[in-house]
Amino acid sequence: MRARHVVVAGGGIGGLTAAVALRRHGWRVTVCERAAALTGVGAGIVLAPNALRALASAGLDPGRWAGDVLPGQVGLRTPDGTWLRRSDDDELSTRYGLSARAVHRGFLIDTLAAALPAGVVHLGVSVTGVDDAGDAVAVRTSAGDLRADVVLAADGARSALRGRLFPRHPGLRHAGEAGWRAVLPGADPPVRQAVETWGRGERFGVVPLADGRVYLYATAVSGPGARPVDHHAELTRRFGAWHSPIPELLDRLDRLDPRDPDPAGVLHHDFHELAAPLPRLHAGRVALLGDAAHAMTPNLGQGGCQAVEDAVVAAHLLASADDVPTALAAYTKARHRRTTLIARRSRRVGELARLSHPLAAPLRNLAVRATPRALSLRALDTVFGWQPPSAPAPSPATPAPVDVEEQR
């Protein structure tokens, strides 16, 4: 029997997870990544319990490679160091059966890519269009045309394929904020708390990564296109008087060695999200996943986690499907409502966090502190408590990778 062929547009977290999951079920896979290298420079990612379950269901056991759980207290503080809300690992582990792990995005992408054989991922190859003929898809790429049974568009927030499938959709909108990201080498003493601090219209986050490095991020209310002349000076101006260890970390940030394994320094970017949910996440034999399907603000830390969920659900539904369009319709049904609600919740958290009025911000803090701990945890149940679908047994066949050139 001919192994069915999937073309994945995009070699990010969602695209690579889908590739691994579908190969496990006997599909031939071609991943087309327009960049010249697979990268995740300058940022960490927190793998929440829902993402860890999804990765495990795809045969990727995070317990073996994702390092230790996030250490110590995790929660929210004010600039003077007062705790607004916090929880510890035992509490989260008891509730969800798993505790979050934090890794560098580059490490996660490398781990996913290493689970694929040579010849599956094609770098420097972009998918420029698709022609769905009903019984197959002609995939237009910069290296030639391919023929596939299904296309998974994981080509990011500015997805070209989303624009082709839904040309009347308004696309992205600016979310009213901009952010900074950086990764610091480990230090002695090590950072042992994952904390986000809320000020007036500004936030600062510190996350210790599994490899000993420290992921920093910060946000501020900003219009589109605004760029500080000196990022370190701007961060110091905004956050240099906040509680420890923020000033110390900013001082280390100014002394980043360009020879460091992650030499990106400080990254700065505007926040964008889809202006409205898509009407569906598929069209015929083409499905969108990750940011291409539901670009959201980072306020819940669920962008990458939802991409992983998308990937394993799509793979599960395609694994034994006799009819691809029917399977992708089931994918929309399984994912559309959940991702729409999470994107909406993330937007609301952002609106709350960026309050800057001198009366509104203290009232917000008071409300957060007054919220019962059990209620705060229950609010996360629908996000962290997600369970992946029961997967069919993996196929014993291991199809050969597809040569992009062979189908020209």
Side-chain angles (χ1 to χ4, degrees):
M1 181 179 176
R2 179 184 69 88
R4 290 180 293 178
H5 179 209
V6 57
V7 172
V8 180
I13 292 170
L16 292 175
T17 302
V20 171
L22 281 167
R23 269 195 56 85
R24 189 167 180 255
H25 294 293
W27 283 66
R28 292 192 301 163
V29 179
T30 303
V31 178
C32 296
E33 168 53 49
R34 64 175 174 260
L38 297 176
T39 61
V41 174
I45 180 171
V46 175
L47 296 171
N50 52 310
L52 294 172
R53 290 190 204 94
L55 290 166
S57 77
L60 296 156
D61 181 7
R64 297 178 58 186
W65 49 263
D68 294 331
V69 300
L70 283 173
Q73 299 282 349
V74 177
L76 294 175
R77 302 178 80 174
T78 60
D80 66 2
T82 302
W83 285 96
L84 296 176
R85 184 173 66 210
R86 56 182 161 176
S87 56
D88 57 37
D89 171 59
D90 289 341
E91 189 173 24
L92 295 176
S93 179
T94 298
R95 192 173 190 91
Y96 301 114
L98 290 167
S99 295
R101 314 289 179 97
V103 299
H104 195 286
R105 280 180 178 264
F107 171 79
L108 176 58
I109 287 174
D110 288 346
T111 300
L112 294 170
L116 296 167
V120 167
V121 179
H122 297 263
L123 300 174
V125 177
S126 58
V127 175
T128 58
V130 292
D131 294 324
D132 189 345
D135 59 342
V137 185
V139 187
R140 313 299 179 194
T141 84
S142 58
D145 292 350
L146 299 171
R147 182 178 174 86
D149 296 281
V150 64
V151 174
L152 297 181
D155 52 343
R158 300 187 182 279
S159 168
L161 292 184
R162 181 182 66 227
R164 289 179 177 272
L165 295 179
F166 302 102
R168 296 188 178 183
H169 188 271
L172 297 176
R173 68 179 171 200
H174 192 268
E177 287 182 286
W180 294 265
R181 297 178 297 167
V183 175
L184 291 174
D188 188 20
V191 174
R192 296 194 178 279
Q193 291 183 327
V195 176
E196 184 169 286
T197 302
W198 286 9
R200 290 170 46 191
E202 301 169 328
R203 285 173 285 169
F204 199 100
V206 178
V207 181
L209 301 181
D211 61 6
R213 289 184 286 178
V214 184
Y215 171 43
L216 309 180
Y217 62 90
T219 74
V221 174
S222 174
R227 294 287 184 273
V229 174
D230 183 326
H231 291 302
H232 182 263
E234 182 70 8
L235 289 168
T236 301
R237 181 184 71 81
R238 290 179 178 273
F239 306 106
W242 287 24
H243 67 79
S244 182
I246 294 174
E248 295 85 351
L249 292 172
L250 289 174
D251 182 59
R252 288 178 53 205
L253 185 63
D254 190 39
R255 294 182 280 111
L256 270 180
D257 189 333
R259 296 169 297 179
D260 186 79
D262 189 357
V266 180
L267 303 179
H268 182 268
H269 58 284
D270 289 335
F271 289 173
H272 290 91
E273 61 181 346
L274 283 189
L278 293 171
R280 58 191 181 281
L281 304 185
H282 79 287
R285 289 176 174 266
V286 183
L288 300 162
L289 60 85
D291 284 346
H294 42 67
M296 62 183 71
T297 58
N299 303 303
L300 287 180
Q302 278 290 308
C305 296
Q306 290 305 301
V308 172
E309 284 189 19
D310 289 346
V312 300
V313 171
H316 167 77
L317 293 169
L318 288 166
S320 56
D322 294 325
D323 182 74
V324 167
T326 299
L328 296 187
Y331 166 74
T332 283
K333 184 176 181 180
R335 299 299 300 158
H336 190 276
R337 176 175 170 80
R338 173 169 172 79
T339 55
T340 297
L341 291 175
I342 289 175
R344 185 179 302 158
R345 182 182 292 187
S346 182
R347 184 183 314 119
R348 288 173 178 169
V349 170
E351 291 168 351
L352 188 67
R354 66 174 179 260
L355 288 174
S356 58
H357 191 278
L359 295 179
L363 288 174
R364 171 203 65 197
N365 295 348
L366 182 62
V368 171
R369 294 185 69 182
T371 301
R373 193 166 180 159
L375 185 60
S376 296
L377 286 171
R378 280 202 297 274
L380 295 173
D381 286 352
T382 56
V383 179
F384 292 168
W386 178 88
Q387 297 288 336
S390 299
S395 169
T398 53
V402 174
D403 187 342
V404 173
E405 302 292 331
E406 76 179 20
Q407 297 192 32
R408 282 192 174 190

